Amino acid sequence: MNNRNRMRAARKRRALVNKILVYCALILIAIVCAGPFLWMLATSFKSGQNIYDLTLIPTNPTLSNYTGVIEFMNIPKYILNTVIITFSSILLDVVCSALCAYALACMDFKGKNFITAALLMAMIVPAAAGMIINYLIIINVHLLNTYAGAVLPGAVKVFSIILLRQAYMAIPKDLIEAAKIDGASDLRIWGKIMMPSIMPTISTVIIFDFISKWNEFLWPIIVLQDPAKYPLATALQYLNGSFNYKFGYIAAGTIISIVPVILVFVICQKNYVEAVSGAVKG
């Protein structure tokens, strides 16, 4: 009996030691991954004298870099441009991808499997490969130098369609059949039953879209000829060119552009984890 208790106690000690080692390793990995961001955050509060100091806690923190960036750039205007482009893209992607995914998951029609396979194959093609075609189309439809030209080409993403399709397929078919027996149309079933049932996946799509569009850099430069219409990430290129000798300004501008992404992720984190875990199980 005593030997059994000693063996049980030894197993508990080993489990505790293993748990401590795992947590230490995870903390170390988190510090390494977050290190550049923490250094950038600390640098944004440093003065010009200690700007390249590698310490993460500024000795004399100052807001001069933030005020300098705001004075040099019309930050509210660039943020407004980013909000217009980002939220327009998110709205189009969520609505159009959800409708397309509903048809692929819940309707029977000829060619459905071929369309699904074509969408999966399209995910292999790099996004940069379509920029020339998109640019020519934008010119022909006279959307050059407009917000619509910056939003429409990449608004609906194949990844969003596939992810939402998988979420729809996890919903019991009996629920859809019962709604049809009650006389509900497909559009009503989609809006009243299907969409509320996949909100975690919708949150995941919103997070991915927000991160990609808020930080989008190349396409706005190509399609927007007026710098006053640039989103924030694109406008920050002026800092790289004009303030190479004031890295604190660049750090402050970068932090301003990152904060909204962090807030969105924190708000939608729970639904994001649920959707990703559900996708992995599926």
Side-chain angles (χ1 to χ4, degrees), residues 2 10 17 36 42 46 65 68 70 93 95 103 131 146 150 158 163 244 266:
N2 291 332
V17 171
K46 294 178 182 178
N65 294 322
I70 293 173
D93 190 28
V95 174
M131 282 190 175
T146 63
V158 176
L163 189 64
N244 285 329
V266 170

Side-chain angles (χ1 to χ4, degrees), residues 92-107 109 112 115-116 119 156-158 160-162 164-165 168 190:
L92 285 173
D93 190 28
V94 169
V95 174
C96 296
S97 297
L99 287 170
C100 181
Y102 176 75
L104 293 175
C106 305
M107 294 182 178
F109 56 91
K112 183 176 73 172
I115 294 174
T116 303
L119 289 173
V156 182
K157 295 178 175 57
V158 176
S160 301
I161 297 174
I162 300 300
L164 293 173
R165 174 180 173 271
Y168 284 137
W190 171 77

Side-chain angles (χ1 to χ4, degrees), residues 240-269:
N240 291 326
S242 303
F243 288 112
N244 285 329
Y245 61 96
K246 286 189 176 182
F247 186 73
Y249 281 22
I250 300 175
T254 304
I255 293 298
I256 291 174
S257 67
I258 290 175
V259 167
V261 177
I262 296 176
L263 292 177
V264 169
F265 181 80
V266 170
I267 293 171
C268 301
Q269 182 180 12

Side-chain angles (χ1 to χ4, degrees), residues 176-218:
I176 301 175
E177 294 299 328
K180 288 183 177 180
I181 292 174
D182 290 338
S185 62
D186 284 315
L187 190 60
R188 187 175 181 85
I189 293 172
W190 171 77
K192 297 294 185 178
I193 298 175
M194 305 301 284
M195 288 294 284
S197 301
I198 61 167
M199 286 310 298
T201 309
I202 294 292
S203 298
T204 304
V205 171
I206 290 174
I207 290 175
F208 282 129
D209 286 350
F210 188 89
I211 292 173
S212 63
K213 284 298 179 180
W214 189 272
N215 296 321
E216 193 171 26
F217 172 78
L218 183 58

Side-chain angles (χ1 to χ4, degrees), residues 8-70:
R8 189 177 300 169
R11 284 198 297 268
K12 289 182 178 180
R13 284 195 298 271
R14 285 196 297 269
L16 179 61
V17 171
N18 291 334
K19 184 178 292 187
I20 292 174
L21 291 176
V22 169
Y23 275 101
C24 290
L26 292 175
I27 291 172
L28 180 61
I29 293 172
I31 292 174
V32 172
C33 294
F37 172 76
L38 295 177
W39 179 77
M40 183 77 70
L41 179 63
T43 302
S44 67
F45 291 101
K46 294 178 182 178
S47 60
Q49 290 76 17
N50 60 353
I51 197 70
Y52 294 106
D53 187 3
L54 294 179
T55 58
L56 297 180
I57 301 177
T59 53
N60 297 307
T62 177
L63 293 174
S64 59
N65 294 322
Y66 290 92
T67 56
V69 168
I70 293 173

